Amino acid sequence: MQGSEALMILDGDLNCSFDSHFMDVTTGTTSPRLSQHEHIKSAIKILQDRCISILDFMSTILDLSQLDFTVNCDQIYYSSKEEKENLKDKSSQEKLEQVLDYMFANSQGCSQLLNWFHPHAVTYVCETVSTKMDAMKEDLQGMLDSITLKFLLTWDLNSMM
């Protein structure tokens, strides 16, 4: 192993985060507190070094059959156990919506989201309309002799909903 390869391994594998400080085990010193941006850049570098795409990373976490990542999956939808139980705190919901908004704002992301969403949207709309119509069916059924000219002139579909 070359010296630069060893340094890369040390940088990626042996440097540890302690209380939001970065401990450089090669020198034994703590570097100044890293920003969230710097932590994210470091995480992306680790993924890239191991040839793991961000989508593969996310897909693995979101795969319900990957039980090792259940807690991480839950954190995408709920930032804490309390939030999951309360459903009052909307911080994770807002973050997820923000991610989707960012994807939708990008022309490539928007195109892919719409292509994925179209069949799901059609199914959702059809099921919703069917459920609403089934709920109104009883109200709309009547005897033929109850349909008079006065009834037709005063009847309003909006009053049925």
Side-chain angles (χ1 to χ4, degrees):
M1 183 180 305
Q2 301 288 334
S4 62
E5 290 175 322
L7 185 56
M8 187 171 68
I9 290 171
L10 286 174
D11 285 340
D13 294 335
L14 297 179
N15 289 327
C16 305
S17 176
F18 297 104
D19 298 323
S20 299
H21 284 62
F22 198 69
M23 174 64 75
D24 184 345
V25 295
T26 59
T27 63
T29 61
T30 303
S31 66
R33 186 178 203 133
L34 293 177
S35 68
Q36 181 179 11
H37 183 81
E38 290 300 319
H39 280 291
I40 291 170
K41 283 174 53 176
S42 295
I44 289 172
K45 180 165 181 3
I46 290 169
L47 292 173
Q48 289 172 339
D49 289 348
R50 281 140 187 91
C51 300
I52 301 171
S53 75
I54 291 174
L55 285 177
D56 287 337
F57 178 77
M58 290 175 56
S59 179
T60 300
I61 290 172
L62 293 170
D63 183 351
L64 296 176
S65 70
Q66 299 285 334
L67 299 178
D68 289 342
F69 303 109
T70 302
V71 170
N72 305 98
C73 183
D74 279 352
Q75 288 175 340
I76 291 171
Y77 306 111
Y78 309 104
S79 61
S80 66
K81 184 178 179 182
E82 291 79 26
E83 180 186 345
K84 185 175 183 176
E85 292 168 358
N86 286 340
L87 296 178
K88 290 180 183 174
D89 181 9
K90 296 189 179 208
S91 61
S92 290
Q93 180 182 349
E94 291 169 357
K95 288 177 188 175
L96 184 57
E97 287 175 7
Q98 184 180 39
V99 167
L100 294 170
D101 286 342
Y102 287 150
M103 292 174 74
F104 204 75
N106 179 294
S107 61
Q108 292 173 326
C110 181
S111 176
Q112 288 187 13
L113 282 173
L114 290 175
N115 286 337
W116 173 86
F117 193 69
H118 186 266
H120 300 283
V122 169
T123 300
Y124 177 74
V125 169
C126 289
E127 288 173 357
T128 302
V129 168
S130 178
T131 301
K132 296 258 185 212
M133 292 305 292
D134 285 345
M136 290 177 45
K137 222 184 263 187
E138 188 177 309
D139 293 336
L140 293 174
Q141 291 177 344
M143 304 298 270
L144 276 178
D145 54 349
S146 68
I147 302 175
T148 63
L149 180 59
K150 181 181 176 187
F151 175 79
L152 291 174
L153 291 173
T154 59
W155 183 75
D156 179 19
L157 180 60
N158 289 326
S159 68
M160 305 299 288
M161 300 182 108

